[in-house]
Amino acid sequence: MMFDLLVKGGTLPDGRVADIAIAGERIAEIAPKIAAEAREVIDATGDLVAPPFVDPHFHLDATLSYGLPRVNGSGTLLEGISLWGELREIATVDEMVTRALQYCDWAASLGLLAIRSHVDTTPDHLNTVTAMLEVREKVKDYIDLQLVAFPQDGLYRAPNGRENLIRALDMGVEVVGGIPHFERTMAEGAASLADLCEIAATRGLRVDIHCDETDDPMSRHIETLAYETQRRGLQGRVAGSHLTSMHSMDNYYVSKLLPLIAEAGIAAIPNPLINIVLQGRHDTFPKRRGLTRVKEMQALGIPVGWGQDCVLDPWYSLGTADMLDVAFMGMHVAQMTHPDEMARCFTMVTETNAAIIGLEDYGLKKGAKASLVVLDAAGPVDALRLRPARLAVIAKGKVIARTPRADAALSLPGRPASLNRRAPRR
Ligand SMILES: [Zn+2]
């Protein structure tokens, strides 16, 4: 038997050491030692071999536009929304495609091979949708791009908000989005969720709502989302993104809310880099972190994944497309520092995110898509600590990116001539 590609001797996230044989676009075999020949061999001895990173929450139509038409002076979510409102009227389809493809290059080089991106469906011209559908097609051999119809300025608050969302779905956008806390009243926010869940149920689609992205503890749209999810039989297909108001909610109310979310089979997608910079901006001190209750939800079996949300756009002035940066920040803000919790943060940006967005044939197992990443780290926790080079990125059986090892050369008397910064073995 001649395989196309053999990744030898890598350490899998669960600690097993294994060879991975690839035939065509699929993983043909995973075993401690595979003796067969292959057209190409990658020696991953001592390195971490993981399934690809998955981002369940991004805005690809706005990415890499930082400073256009000008910088967000207040640093708030609301100024970001208003800046973006100007930009989407002047940005051409070609400019948005160019920026998005550049971001996808970064993602590919870092082993981020599946992205769920919200696409603004507010403007009548829907240039954002046209551009992102083009990008989805262009990157499909190496990135699974899933698009969410996102009524940024409100389903009811924006003129034609609802019609344009439906038009985007008709054009081929595959997930239903919403923003209840941005509608004019609490009641309209709740009504928007009933409407959106009905649209999703009728069309057989998934739902991902920008839900309660505010410091207002009375923003309780997640409760309505759980109710509508259950009523429409959408369990397992709905995600609540951000859920930052939960940070500030009354503890007694949360003790009732979390079991409702678990019952409804809703997943949560906090976006730690963005939540930590946008929330709490109206506070003096103490200043709230605005991250939702991650560990508390996980304790009840609610799937929680980390999302990137923004890179160099009206809302966030930094970002790299590295999901390890996202998990690293999440780990700190949620204080997930026990070894099991740190390892879970790595799982969140791989397996958990893949499950939340419904990726098929994902993971390191026989028959799955042959997509994986070789990292210059000994294991998942070390990968989080170092955010190291992606030595090789394989997408559907093809090596699409390589980065050299980043050992330092030292000139110090009596000290080693070269080093990496991996943690000492215990
Ligand atoms: Zn978002």
Side-chain angles (χ1 to χ4, degrees):
M1 172 85 198
M2 172 70 106
F3 291 112
D4 294 310
L5 185 59
L6 192 55
V7 180
K8 286 192 81 74
T11 304
L12 310 188
D14 63 10
R16 281 181 297 150
V17 173
D19 293 352
I20 300 174
I22 292 167
E25 296 191 356
R26 300 272 155 186
I27 294 177
E29 200 180 338
I30 300 189
K33 279 270 179 271
I34 297 174
E37 301 280 295
R39 266 174 268 282
E40 187 178 357
V41 175
I42 292 176
D43 180 7
T45 306
D47 298 323
L48 173 64
V49 176
F53 296 106
V54 178
D55 182 2
H57 189 118
F58 196 64
H59 293 265
L60 198 56
D61 51 2
T63 198
L64 307 198
S65 69
Y66 181 67
L68 299 174
R70 80 196 85 82
V71 162
N72 181 340
S74 67
T76 57
L77 172 68
L78 295 182
E79 184 176 346
I81 292 176
S82 108
L83 268 180
W84 166 243
E86 291 177 48
L87 180 58
R88 73 183 171 213
E89 293 310 318
I90 52 175
T92 66
V93 170
D94 282 352
E95 286 165 355
M96 283 187 281
V97 169
T98 302
R99 291 196 280 259
L101 286 176
Q102 190 180 355
Y103 180 81
C104 288
D105 293 343
W106 296 4
S109 75
L110 290 163
L112 168 54
L113 301 185
I115 300 171
R116 172 184 276 182
S117 175
H118 296 256
V119 184
D120 189 356
T121 58
T122 301
D124 290 339
H125 53 66
L126 289 183
N127 286 347
T128 42
V129 177
T130 306
M132 293 308 110
L133 289 170
E134 187 180 329
V135 173
R136 187 177 72 185
E137 182 61 24
K138 284 205 157 101
V139 303
K140 68 169 193 277
D141 289 338
Y142 53 98
I143 290 179
D144 290 312
L145 180 57
Q146 194 181 75
L147 301 177
V148 186
F150 175 47
Q152 170 78 74
D153 293 6
L155 188 72
Y156 303 142
R157 187 169 168 186
N160 307 325
R162 191 178 188 282
E163 289 101 306
N164 290 345
L165 175 126
I166 300 283
R167 282 171 59 213
L169 295 175
D170 288 341
M171 287 165 76
V173 171
E174 63 256 71
V175 180
V176 177
I179 185 162
H181 56 275
F182 199 74
E183 305 292 349
R184 287 195 175 85
T185 63
M186 291 287 186
E188 291 249 292
S192 78
L193 291 176
D195 200 352
L196 292 164
C197 286
E198 180 170 3
I199 292 168
T202 306
R203 292 177 173 242
L205 301 177
R206 290 172 178 270
V207 176
D208 190 334
I209 302 293
H210 281 67
C211 200
D212 305 318
E213 189 183 5
T214 156
D215 293 315
D216 174 6
M218 295 313 292
S219 188
R220 295 176 170 189
H221 293 296
I222 180 59
E223 177 189 274
T224 306
L225 184 60
Y227 172 73
E228 293 296 340
T229 297
Q230 208 148 27
R231 198 162 78 89
R232 302 276 174 197
L234 290 169
Q235 291 91 336
R237 287 159 54 194
V238 175
S241 283
H242 294 299
L243 303 176
T244 54
S245 73
M246 204 191 289
H247 185 92
S248 303
M249 280 174 183
D250 170 73
N251 288 328
Y252 183 84
Y253 174 67
V254 172
S255 76
K256 179 199 170 195
L257 176 65
L258 295 191
L260 288 174
I261 298 173
E263 257 178 63
I266 291 181
I269 306 173
N271 299 285
L273 291 164
I274 279 45
N275 298 153
I276 199 72
V277 298
L278 290 184
Q279 302 304 312
R281 287 271 176 170
H282 295 79
D283 293 356
T284 55
F285 287 93
K287 203 181 271 290
R288 286 169 286 179
R289 297 165 183 224
L291 191 78
T292 195
R293 305 195 188 199
V294 176
K295 289 198 273 191
E296 293 72 11
M297 284 194 276
Q298 289 174 330
L300 291 181
I302 298 166
V304 185
W306 298 123
Q308 167 106 25
D309 201 4
C310 300
V311 167
L312 294 172
D313 70 10
W315 298 276
Y316 187 47
S317 47
L318 294 165
T320 58
D322 191 350
M323 292 307 292
L324 288 175
D325 282 350
V326 175
F328 185 76
M329 176 60 79
M331 188 172 84
H332 282 79
V333 183
Q335 300 181 327
M336 296 176 71
T337 46
H338 185 277
D340 294 346
E341 293 170 342
M342 292 193 286
R344 197 192 308 154
C345 282
F346 188 89
T347 307
M348 287 166 74
V349 291
T350 52
E351 306 272 352
T352 311
N353 282 349
I356 288 173
I357 71 168
L359 263 193
E360 283 170 8
D361 301 331
Y362 175 89
L364 297 184
K365 55 182 188 240
K366 188 176 171 169
K369 239 181 287 176
S371 297
L372 52 90
V373 195
V374 183
L375 296 105
D376 188 5
V381 174
D382 224 26
L384 278 167
R385 191 176 62 82
L386 295 167
R387 283 148 288 136
R390 308 312 123 95
L391 302 172
V393 178
I394 297 164
K396 297 174 192 168
K398 293 204 167 58
V399 181
I400 60 160
R402 287 180 187 271
T403 303
R405 229 173 267 282
D407 290 356
L410 271 191
S411 305
L412 293 172
R415 301 307 304 154
S418 93
L419 67 92
N420 58 46
R421 282 176 286 271
R422 291 189 184 189
R425 285 191 181 278
R426 297 258 180 270

